[in-house]
Every structure is written in structure tokens, then in C-alpha cells.
Amino acid sequence: RERRLLGQTVPSVHVMAVFVLSEWSLFKMFSRTLTEPCPLASSSKVYVDVTDNPQGELFELSPATSTLSQAVVLGDRRTYSVYDLRDPESFGILRSLNVLLKWKGQDNGDMLRPLLHAERYVGGYGLQTGDIHTLIYNHHPFRAFPVLLLETVPWYLRLYIHTLSVTSKGHENKPSYIHYQPSKDRLRPHLLEMLLQLPPNSVTKVTVQFERALLKWTEYTPDPNHGFYVGSSVLSALVPSVVAMDTNSTNDRPLFSSFFPCLEESGYFMRVYTEPLLVNLPTPDFSMPYNVICLTCTVVAVGYGSLYNLLTRTFQVEEPSGGMAKRLANTIRRLRGVPLL
């Protein structure tokens, strides 16, 4: 009998401050609850990771369920609370399932820390030179493994490859392989590829200096003072597993293994992207043309306007007319028959 599997994935991005510092629920995430299982699926379940909450000291999960499932996910053994949507008891009296996770205190515990992760930032001061620092973390307790680091840097950041340094635990960590392709102005970026060996439970720091280039005024973005984005670094590695597992157990749960990758016990492939960088470049004063235009127009208007008035205006001499007192006096003198003033 032929078996077919239909998978549907719905990505969802949320603000961590909302779901970590307060309660978390299906209704908060999707503005609705679960009322029925998938009518086309033979198995319909909801998995909630409760590995870091074995005794319920960190958070409270409701409605409570006694069904637990264990699996090796990315080299670490995890425990999940399982809600079987084909079981009517999962929906309760209201025929609605709203999985609610409520933290018991302000300290929500440490987040799940992967064996391999990285971060990157820009160092230095001023707008001439700077440093790109990449920190690669290996949290495996006893295994070292290689990682391939790929850096793509725009051409307007001129890299000084002779300043490249790699250190691990305070000692130099010489890369096993380095490939560098220099940039061409306005044609292609820098390409730097390195194969590094990460010691167990260590932080490897990769540092390279750069110099900022001067752009043409037409090459700046509409908001140049915001900065220019530099793409993420890419880490590729075959991460060794922390625990061993029975790979035959995943054959009975193909849907679960597709959601939570349970690979062979020797290791699993992982690709990690660092955060992008925001770099400030030397920026000209784009308001100066506006100031020059305003000053020029003001000088022209004042100078030309005054000269134009002198050349085109006609002047006439008019005798000043008498005031109200003089007119009243002349009226009285006219009635008396004496000469006017």
C-alpha cells in the first residue's frame, strides 16, 4: 500500500518581549483556538517543548496533559507535552483547545541554547576605519568540529586581509583553509571563505579591519545618515550530537521527524546566519546645496530688486496738503472776508 504525506508549514514571526515576559497561548498567536482535528490526517497532534520545566517550577501549562514524548532534536534530547486532537478529551467541555503557558515569576529561565550559534558587530570609532568582529560559539561539552565561515562584504568597505585574526580561548586558531576574492569597485563585493576548527565549549573570535570608501553623491540612499546594511555571515557545519538515539524510532513518526529533525547519532548539518550589520559611511552635507540656493536667491532678489526699482520708478514732487486745523481756519476767514492762509 502506497503511503503519501502532505505537509503544510505556516511561518509566524512574533515579538519576543510579548511572549517571553508574559503568558503565551494559541489565541494570542493566531487569534483563534483549535476546535477540531484535521479531517484528512490520520494523526493530528500539538507538541509543546517542556524540557526546561520538568517539575513545573518555571511555567504552568494548561490544560494539563499526561502524554509526554521524547526525541533527539539537533543533537539534544527534548521532552514534549502532546495534545492529541483526535481525542475528544483534549478539547474539554467547550470543544475548544487553547494551549496556555503562564510564567510563574519574572525570571523566565534561560532560553534554549543551541550547540552552534554566532553573532557579529562592528568595532572602532570614526568614519575612516573600523573592525568586523564575528563570535562563533561552540557549546558542545567535549567535541570539537569544523565550521565553514562565509563572509560577503560590500566593495565600499575595503578589507585589510593582512589584519585577519582568529583566536579561540585566548590562543591563535589558524584556519585550515582560506579563500579570498577581492572586490571590484561598483562591480562585485569581497568574498572571504574560511574553514575553522572550533574547540569544545569555546568562543572563536574572527576579526578583520576595513576602511570606508567615499561614494559618489548619486550612490547614497535617500536616508544616508541611517547607514548601509552589510549582509549576514553564513556558518555551515556538521555538528556532532550530544546524545545517542535510535534512528529506527523515527520511521514510525515521519511527520514528527520532519518537524523536529532527528538525524543520525554521529552528527547533523546546520547552517547559521548571523545578524546583518549597519555601517555608517562618510556622508556629505546634503543640505548645503539647499542653503546655497536660498542664499543666492536672497542676494539676487535684494540686489536686483533694488536696482530695478531705481531704474523704473518715477518721482513726483507734491505739495503737502493742509490739515484739518488749516481747513477750518480758511473756512472761518472766508466767512469773515479776509484772505486765506
Side-chain angles (χ1 to χ4, degrees), residues 8 21-22 32-33 38 43-44 48 59 76 78 92 97 139 143 158 176 204 218-219 222 233 285 306 309-310 330:
Q8 182 181 10
L21 300 180
S22 61
R32 63 186 62 189
T33 60
C38 178
S43 175
S44 185
V48 181
F59 56 83
D76 192 12
R78 313 300 297 176
L97 175 62
H139 293 296
R143 288 285 298 274
R158 309 189 188 280
S176 305
T204 301
T218 56
E219 295 175 339
S233 299
D285 185 6
S306 301
N309 289 334
L310 291 175
N330 289 333

Side-chain angles (χ1 to χ4, degrees), residues 239-295:
V239 182
S241 177
V242 176
V243 296
M245 61 168 295
D246 183 12
T247 56
N248 295 326
S249 63
T250 61
N251 296 331
D252 300 332
R253 298 183 298 172
L255 185 61
F256 181 86
S257 61
S258 64
F259 289 154
F260 309 106
C262 307
L263 303 184
E264 62 275 6
E265 60 182 70
S266 60
Y268 56 92
F269 179 77
M270 175 181 288
R271 179 167 290 149
V272 179
Y273 296 87
T274 65
E275 62 271 26
L277 298 177
L278 186 62
V279 181
N280 291 323
L281 295 182
T283 305
D285 185 6
F286 288 100
S287 64
M288 184 57 65
Y290 173 76
N291 298 335
V292 172
I293 291 174
C294 293
L295 179 60

Side-chain angles (χ1 to χ4, degrees), residues 77-90:
R77 190 176 300 278
R78 313 300 297 176
T79 303
Y80 299 90
S81 293
V82 183
Y83 295 88
D84 190 357
L85 301 184
R86 289 201 167 274
D87 186 3
E89 296 181 359
S90 300

Side-chain angles (χ1 to χ4, degrees), residues 20 26 71 86 93 105 111 119 128 136 145-146 155 157 166 203-204 221 239 251 260 269 277 291 326 335 340:
V20 175
L26 292 178
R86 289 201 167 274
I93 303 177
M111 301 297 295
E119 60 184 26
Q128 183 178 2
I136 307 174
F145 56 89
W155 64 267
L157 300 181
V166 182
V203 180
T204 301
T221 58
V239 182
N251 296 331
F260 309 106
F269 179 77
L277 298 177
N291 298 335
K326 185 176 181 180
L335 295 175
L340 301 178

Side-chain angles (χ1 to χ4, degrees), residues 28 30 111 114 146 177 181-184 188 191 195 224 256 295:
K28 275 194 172 184
F30 306 108
M111 301 297 295
Y177 166 79
Q181 180 179 351
S183 66
K184 288 186 178 180
R188 71 184 184 193
L191 181 63
L195 183 62
F256 181 86
L295 179 60

Side-chain angles (χ1 to χ4, degrees), residues 24 26 42 46 68 117 127 147 158 215 220 222 248 289 306-307 323 337:
W24 172 96
L26 292 178
S42 59
V46 176
L68 299 177
H117 68 97
L127 294 177
V147 62
R158 309 189 188 280
L215 303 181
Y220 285 92
N248 295 326
S306 301
L307 181 61

